[in-house]
Amino acid sequence: SSEGSSRRTKKTNHRKGLCCPCCPTVVRRGPWQCLAGTIMGGNENLPNSMRVGNMIMVLPSCVSRWGFGIMGPHWFGPVACLLLLTIATIHFAPKAYHHIGPISGIICLLFYIHGVVSLCIVTCSDPGVVKSGTTGAGVGGRDGGYAGLPRVDVSAGRGWRYCDLCSVYQPPDAVHCPECNVCVEGYDHHCPWMGTCIGKKNFTSFMVFNLTWLFYLLYAIIWVTFVGRTFYGTGAMMEDSDSSGDE
């Protein structure tokens, strides 16, 4: 029926990571995929070698060498994080510089730079996408699988599984992500704020980013807004000078 086909279409769009059919192309596909499609003469001409599920390899050569240059479907999450960091720095850095001192302003800038760099590393790094054909003959004698690996991992309590969606063998700690449409080794969760999955290869940088913005927030609220401005700010120094002058 038409109702059943529309439901299947909506389900397929959700699994592909699209917002909705009425959204503009730049929202549904993301700016990087639109740019890559424009260079290649349209998104339909985008080679399969640049696609991994719903993820796109912006820099395929860098991905194969260093695991950097691949992005997930939710591009708006990292953009929102970048805007929040930028707005916070525009607000707190000048206040720290003028009211407390140049060192406090420089610390705000260092927090901002470290946060942006760690955000880019998480967003553009391979989370641990499981690929076939990496070690020759595979489990059960199939080509394109994983050689020399046991069927059961005792420590994990479960063995390797074959994913029909990705056509690869999943390691014991791998999970198929329906948003990115790939199997991720060491899968923790899919983070829309980072725009990609958090897995074995980008979990450390993800924790670094979280600690960076958390300490930046505490520093801005506790030191820049209250403690530093009250005890070490220029306003406190002017009040002390005024009181000594009255005496």
Side-chain angles (χ1 to χ4, degrees), residues 2 6 13 31 33 41-42 56 69 71-72 78-79 106-107 130 135 214 221 227-228 236 241-242 244:
S2 59
S6 63
N13 289 338
Q33 189 166 351
I56 179 171
M71 300 186 69
V79 173
I106 293 174
I107 292 176
V130 180
T135 55
L214 179 60
I221 294 177
V227 178
S241 62
D242 293 340
S244 62

Side-chain angles (χ1 to χ4, degrees), residues 113-185:
I113 294 173
H114 194 273
V116 171
V117 171
S118 58
L119 174 64
C120 292
I121 292 175
V122 179
T123 303
C124 300
S125 294
D126 178 13
V129 178
V130 180
K131 303 179 183 67
S132 62
T134 55
T135 55
V139 178
R142 297 187 182 185
D143 293 331
Y146 301 84
L149 294 173
R151 292 179 177 271
V152 177
D153 190 312
V154 178
S155 62
R158 51 180 177 165
W160 288 61
R161 304 170 305 279
Y162 185 78
C163 179
D164 295 329
L165 299 175
C166 298
S167 299
V168 297
Y169 281 96
Q170 293 180 349
D173 58 347
V175 175
H176 181 85
C177 176
E179 300 293 337
C180 294
N181 196 26
V182 292
C183 292
V184 179
E185 187 177 2

Side-chain angles (χ1 to χ4, degrees), residues 69-237:
I70 183 171
M71 300 186 69
H74 297 148
W75 61 269
F76 45 83
V79 173
C81 291
L82 180 61
L83 288 176
L84 290 174
L85 286 173
T86 304
I87 293 173
T89 303
I90 292 174
H91 176 73
F92 287 107
K95 182 182 294 186
Y97 182 85
H98 294 293
H99 295 167
I100 302 176
I103 296 179
S104 297
I106 293 174
I107 292 176
C108 289
L109 293 178
L110 291 177
F111 270 120
Y112 174 73
I113 294 173
H114 194 273
V116 171
V117 171
S118 58
L119 174 64
C120 292
I121 292 175
V122 179
T123 303
C124 300
S125 294
D126 178 13
V129 178
V130 180
K131 303 179 183 67
S132 62
T134 55
T135 55
V139 178
R142 297 187 182 185
D143 293 331
Y146 301 84
L149 294 173
R151 292 179 177 271
V152 177
D153 190 312
V154 178
S155 62
R158 51 180 177 165
W160 288 61
R161 304 170 305 279
Y162 185 78
C163 179
D164 295 329
L165 299 175
C166 298
S167 299
V168 297
Y169 281 96
Q170 293 180 349
D173 58 347
V175 175
H176 181 85
C177 176
E179 300 293 337
C180 294
N181 196 26
V182 292
C183 292
V184 179
E185 187 177 2
Y187 180 86
D188 187 77
H189 69 287
H190 180 87
C191 182
W193 290 101
M194 301 293 100
T196 186
C197 291
I198 306 301
K200 179 180 180 179
K201 294 184 179 180
N202 65 348
F203 182 81
T204 301
S205 55
F206 173 71
M207 294 303 298
V208 170
F209 172 74
N210 282 332
L211 291 176
T212 300
W213 72 258
L214 179 60
F215 282 115
Y216 189 14
L217 178 65
L218 295 176
Y219 177 80
I221 294 177
I222 296 176
W223 178 257
V224 177
T225 305
F226 295 105
V227 178
R229 189 171 182 178
T230 302
F231 296 99
Y232 300 96
T234 56
M237 295 175 61

